[in-house]
Amino acid sequence: MTSSEKPDETVVNNLSEIQQRISAAEQGRSIPGSPVELVAVSKMHGMDRIQNALDAGHRVFGENRVQEAQKKWTGQRSKYPDLSLHLIGPLQTNKAADAVDLFDVIQTVDRPKLARALAKHIHASPRNPTCMIQVNIGDEAQKAGVAISDLGDLLNQCRGDIGLPIIGLMCIPPAAESPAPYFALMAKLAAAQGLEHLSMGMTGDFEDAIKFGATSVRVGTGIFGPRPGPVDPT
Ligand SMILES: *Cc1c(COP(=O)(O)O)cnc(C)c1O
């Protein structure tokens, strides 16, 4: 793609359609809440495609890898001061400092060691990203996230000696099942812990997630279309 190429109307149209569907789903909530934040998941897409969403005024993006996000987003903040970058993929402790430098929201805190590393870098940095805890809500061996049984303990540690403020919970329910019971359980866990924010729902199920109290949905394919193969970072 060249820079002279015309803006891609599909991205702009998709974005506005998803926003309309979010508004409709907000109207259908049994308990009214604040407007739902749309995190446009731009992982694996290049900046040329992402630029369409920026030009349309969208500022909230999700990436799942620190290195890929650095390559794409470093330097964009001077052009878009109101940019909000969310880390939605697993984070290695040795990348915690890089994540603090780049992201505004880190959604995938899932163990004390990582929470400690993040707290240390946040305290030493002028940046102050907010953090959420990822819950392995379907108890899947291959998935990241804290086990439900360990959530209370991790939160207590974050609120206690670690000193990492946590604003909410995030989950990716099991792919092959109806997500509704998992969304409902997430809402229960967040309420029990006095947490206000819930990041749940993707292209296939964000309307359900909103019904169950999502405050933030993560939509990739529905905005940018199918993802190209993994980009070689070298
Ligand atoms: C890729 C990804 C998404 C977006 O998924 P789509 O189905 O493309 O909307 C949402 N959340 C996480 C954690 C992801 O990794």
Side-chain angles (χ1 to χ4, degrees):
M1 197 185 259
T2 65
S3 55
S4 61
E5 195 148 327
K6 277 191 299 188
D8 189 330
E9 299 287 343
T10 35
V11 171
V12 179
N13 292 341
N14 289 345
L15 196 51
S16 108
E17 190 208 303
I18 298 283
Q19 266 153 351
Q20 281 167 33
R21 284 171 58 188
I22 288 173
S23 303
E26 285 171 354
Q27 305 303 312
R29 289 184 289 198
S30 50
I31 308 159
S34 351
V36 173
E37 176 179 55
L38 171 58
V39 179
V41 177
S42 49
K43 66 183 184 197
M44 294 189 190
H45 290 287
M47 285 312 295
D48 46 2
R49 193 148 186 80
I50 297 168
Q51 190 62 48
N52 295 290
L54 285 165
D55 290 345
H58 199 76
R59 293 293 181 267
V60 186
F61 295 88
E63 292 281 350
N64 68 336
R65 294 178 60 227
V66 174
Q67 211 181 359
E68 179 188 337
Q70 281 175 322
K71 286 193 74 172
K72 285 154 64 174
W73 292 102
T74 302
Q76 296 290 331
R77 216 176 275 282
S78 54
K79 274 183 269 177
Y80 306 103
D82 50 348
L83 192 64
S84 178
L85 291 180
H86 292 232
L87 178 64
I88 61 169
L91 179 58
Q92 290 173 319
T93 304
N94 64 8
K95 297 258 174 67
D98 289 339
V100 167
D101 285 345
L102 185 65
F103 289 97
D104 301 282
V105 182
I106 295 170
Q107 295 200 1
T108 51
V109 180
D110 64 356
R111 56 199 190 277
K113 192 178 170 211
L114 175 60
R116 235 173 257 289
L118 287 168
K120 183 180 135 203
H121 292 299
I122 289 170
H123 295 149
S125 149
R127 294 191 45 77
N128 193 20
T130 49
C131 294
M132 305 178 87
I133 288 179
Q134 179 175 2
V135 182
N136 187 353
I137 197 70
D139 195 21
E140 296 172 280
Q142 81 282 10
K143 259 195 198 143
V146 67
I148 294 172
S149 54
D150 295 334
L151 172 62
D153 190 46
L154 177 57
L155 261 167
N156 286 340
Q157 289 189 60
C158 288
R159 289 167 169 161
D161 70 311
I162 294 179
L164 184 73
I166 299 290
I167 64 160
L169 303 178
M170 175 271 206
C171 79
I172 312 168
E177 294 172 52
S178 160
Y182 295 104
F183 292 153
L185 182 53
M186 284 291 287
K188 228 173 111 179
L189 293 172
Q193 295 289 351
L195 293 168
E196 199 186 333
H197 293 274
L198 269 177
S199 169
M200 54 188 198
M202 319 200 298
T203 296
D205 56 18
F206 69 89
E207 284 145 317
D208 265 341
I210 291 169
K211 244 183 263 168
F212 286 97
T215 58
S216 189
V217 295
R218 311 177 307 264
V219 179
T221 313
I223 295 170
F224 297 107
R227 282 180 281 277
V231 181
D232 184 346
T234 56

